Amino acid sequence: MTEEVIRELRRNHRNSDMRIKAFCVKHIPAEIFHYTLSQMRAINTLYSVMQETGKGVKLKTLAEKLSITAAAASEMVETLVRKNAITRKSDPEDRRAIRLYVCDELVERFEKCEVQLDVLMRKFLNTLTGDEVDTFISVSRKFAAFTADPDNFPEVEE
C-alpha cells in the first residue's frame, strides 16, 4: 500500500467525519455552544456510553472513557450539572453509587440527529451493490475493532 493511498484513505475518512459533525451541529441548540470542547466531548461520550449500556454511567467509567482523572471528571460533571446538561441519579443496583445521565433535552437532540444520520447512511448504502454493502460492513467492523485496541496505535514521539 503506497503512502499516497494511505493518505487518501485518511483524508476521505477525516473529511467525511467533518461533514457529518457539521451536519449534526445544525441539530444542536445554540445554547450548547456555551460549553467548552472538553465539556462537549464529555457530553458526547456520556451519551454514547448510555446508548451502548442502556443505563447511566458511573463517574469512574466516564473518567476512563475521557482518559482523565476522576478528580478532573468530577469537576467537569459538577459544571455540567449546574448547566443542566447532565443529571445525577442513584444507581438502582447500588444505593450508595451515583450514575450520570445526559439531560432529556440533549438526548432528544442526539436522537433526532441519529435518525438523520441513519437516513444518510441508508441513502449511501442504496448506492452500493449487495456485495459492496457486505464488504463495507465487514471492513467497517474490522476497522472499528482494530482502532478499539490501544496496542495497534504507534507510540507518539515527543
Side-chain angles (χ1 to χ4, degrees), residues 5 11 28 43 50 66 71 96 105 113 120 124 129 136 156:
V5 170
R11 186 175 50 251
I28 297 173
I43 293 167
M50 286 173 53
L66 294 171
R96 296 171 297 158
E105 179 186 354
C113 188
L120 176 69
F124 169 69
T129 67
F136 181 74
V156 177

Side-chain angles (χ1 to χ4, degrees), residues 43-53 102 114:
I43 293 167
N44 188 49
T45 300
L46 179 56
Y47 174 79
S48 295
V49 175
M50 286 173 53
Q51 295 307 301
E52 290 171 17
T53 63
V102 174
E114 298 241 2

Side-chain angles (χ1 to χ4, degrees), residues 24-86:
C24 288
V25 165
K26 294 177 185 175
H27 295 278
I28 297 173
E31 62 270 13
I32 203 159
F33 295 105
H34 297 291
Y35 301 121
T36 66
L37 289 175
S38 295
Q39 291 169 345
M40 292 284 292
R41 186 170 158 251
I43 293 167
N44 188 49
T45 300
L46 179 56
Y47 174 79
S48 295
V49 175
M50 286 173 53
Q51 295 307 301
E52 290 171 17
T53 63
K55 56 186 176 182
V57 179
K58 292 182 179 179
L59 180 69
K60 180 181 177 185
T61 303
L62 181 61
E64 289 169 359
K65 294 284 185 182
L66 294 171
S67 299
I68 61 176
T69 65
S74 179
E75 186 177 321
M76 184 180 299
V77 164
E78 185 59 37
T79 300
L80 291 171
V81 166
R82 282 195 311 270
K83 290 183 173 187
N84 296 316
I86 290 179

